[in-house]
Amino acid sequence: MFKKLILISSVISLSLGSSMVNAKVAEAEANKLGSELTPLGGIQAGNADGSIPAWTGGITTPPAGYKPGDFHPDPFKDDKVLFEITAQNYKQYAEFLSDGQQKMFETYPDTFKMPVYPTQRSASSPQFVYDETKKNALMAELIQGGNGVKNAAIGIPFPIPQSGIEAIWNHILRYRGETVRRFGGQAAPTASGDFNVIGFDDLLLQKYSAKDATREKLLEENVISKFMQEVTSPARLAGTVLLVHETMDQVREPRKAWTYNTGQRKVLAAPNIAYDAPGTAADGLRTTDDFDMFNGAPDRYNWELKGRKEMYVAYNNYKLHSDKVKYEDILQPGHINPELTRFEKHRVWVVEANLKPEYRHVYQKRVFYIDEDSWQVQVSDMYDNRNELYRVAVAHGVNYYEVPTQWSTLDVYYDLNSRRYLALGLDNEERMYEFDVKLDDGDFTPQALRRKGKR
C-alpha cells in the first residue's frame, strides 16, 4: 500500500503508540526551514524525475485584475491536461494513488476519471506565519498524551513532525486566515443524481492564527477557534444554528458546543457534537469529525506517521471553484463531474490512525494523505469495523491568494457502500468568502447564538 514512501533523516521516530516523543527539534534541524525545507516543512527541492518541481514561494501576488470579493481567476488556466487516469489504466499509476482512489475507479468504471495537469506548487502563507512556524519547531510540545499542544502559536506547530499525531495537529492548526465568513452549502445527490442544496452561512474566528496570539495567552484561554454555522435554506431547516469553541488542551477542557433550534426556540448545550456523531444535515454521509477532513479530539486513535509519498491529489481546482459553473454542472450521479477537476502529483505525508481498543467509532481505521506544502489533508480513506473501505474523502483545494492560504474549495465524501456522496463547500452560486470580516469573541457566545436564531 505504501510503496515508495520517502523518509527524511530528521524523522527519527515515526510512530506514536502509548509513548510520547519530545516534539521540539534541535536548532540545526529548525534552521533547515526556509532552505532545505520550505518554511512549513516541505521538501523544497523537486523530485528525481522532475514531475514535482521545486517550491519557489508559491503564489505571492494575485493575478492582474483580481480584487477581494471576486471569485478567484485561475492563475494556471493555460495549463493543459497531461493525461487522464481511468478505470482502464489506473493500475499503472497505483503507487501514486490511495486505496480509496483506486476503489473509485472500480466502483464507477465508466464515468470516474482523474485529469492530471502539470504540478504547480502554489501553496503560500504570510511571512509572519513562516516566522512563527520556525519558533514553534523549537518550542512546541504535545501534552495530555497527544490530546493537546502547548508553546505554539500562529504557525504550524510541528513542521518537522516526529509522529502521526503531530502531523494531524499540523492539519488542525494550519493557517486559514484570522477571521472568515463563508457562504455556500452542501448537497447529497441521490443515486439518480437528484439533489437539494442545504445553505450555510459560516463564521470562523481563528484565535490560534491571530497576529497578536501568544503562546501564553493560548495556553491560558485554551481556545483554538470559534465557529458558528447558520442554516439558511431550505425553509424547513433555516434558522438552525451551531456554535463551537474548539480547545487546545482537549483533556483539560473538551470542545464546547451549543445549538439553536427554530422549533424549540432555545439554545441548548450540545456535548455530542463530536467524533462520529452525524454531520449537520449530511444525510448520514459524514461524521462530525470528518468536517474539514478531520477536526476535534484525536484521543480515540493511535496515530502512525508512515513517511512521505508522491501522490496524485486534487490541487489548484479553480475551474471547480468558478462562479461560471452551476451546481448542476458539478453534481452528477455517483461522483462530482470529473471534467471540472484538476489533479497534480504532490508529496504528501501519510498518517494512519487506528481505533484504540477501548473506544468506539464507525471508522476502525483512517488513512490521511496530507499536503507537505500546506498541511491540508488532501485525501482520507476510512475503513469500517471489518477493516473494509467504507468511505473516501477528497479535498479540492485552491490558493486564496488575497490572504494567502491554501484551503479546500470543495470537500467531497464518497460512501462506497451506498454509492452516494456529500459535496460540502458548494459556493459557485453564492458570494465569495470574506477573509477581512470584523469578528470578535462577542460574536461567538450562546447569547449571540440566541440573537442570530431569533432574527
Side-chain angles (χ1 to χ4, degrees), residues 184-186 196-201 230-240 281 430:
Q186 66 183 23
N196 293 305
V197 175
I198 308 294
F200 294 130
D201 184 348
E230 179 180 4
V231 180
T232 57
S233 63
R236 62 184 173 82
L237 297 175
T240 300
E430 313 296 333

Side-chain angles (χ1 to χ4, degrees), residues 51 90 95 106 222 292 411 423 445:
S51 55
Y90 80 89
E95 66 183 290
E106 298 167 10
N222 197 33
D292 194 35
D411 292 337
T445 65

Side-chain angles (χ1 to χ4, degrees), residues 57-77 122-126 175-177 316-319 321-323 397-407 432-433 435:
I59 299 177
T60 55
T61 56
Y66 167 80
K67 63 183 185 300
D70 290 348
F71 273 74
H72 299 75
D74 186 354
F76 310 115
K77 60 182 175 58
S122 57
S124 58
S125 296
Y175 181 79
R176 286 156 287 167
N316 294 311
N317 280 255
Y318 291 95
K319 187 189 297 186
H321 172 75
S322 171
D323 60 344
V398 299
N399 185 317
Y400 293 89
Y401 32 67
E402 74 272 34
V403 184
T405 181
Q406 187 83 11
W407 198 4
M432 184 35 52
Y433 296 0
F435 287 95

Side-chain angles (χ1 to χ4, degrees), residues 382-396:
M382 290 83 89
Y383 296 77
D384 62 21
N385 56 19
R386 299 168 297 172
N387 204 34
E388 294 182 0
L389 269 168
Y390 177 15
R391 292 173 177 159
V392 56
V394 179
H396 295 264

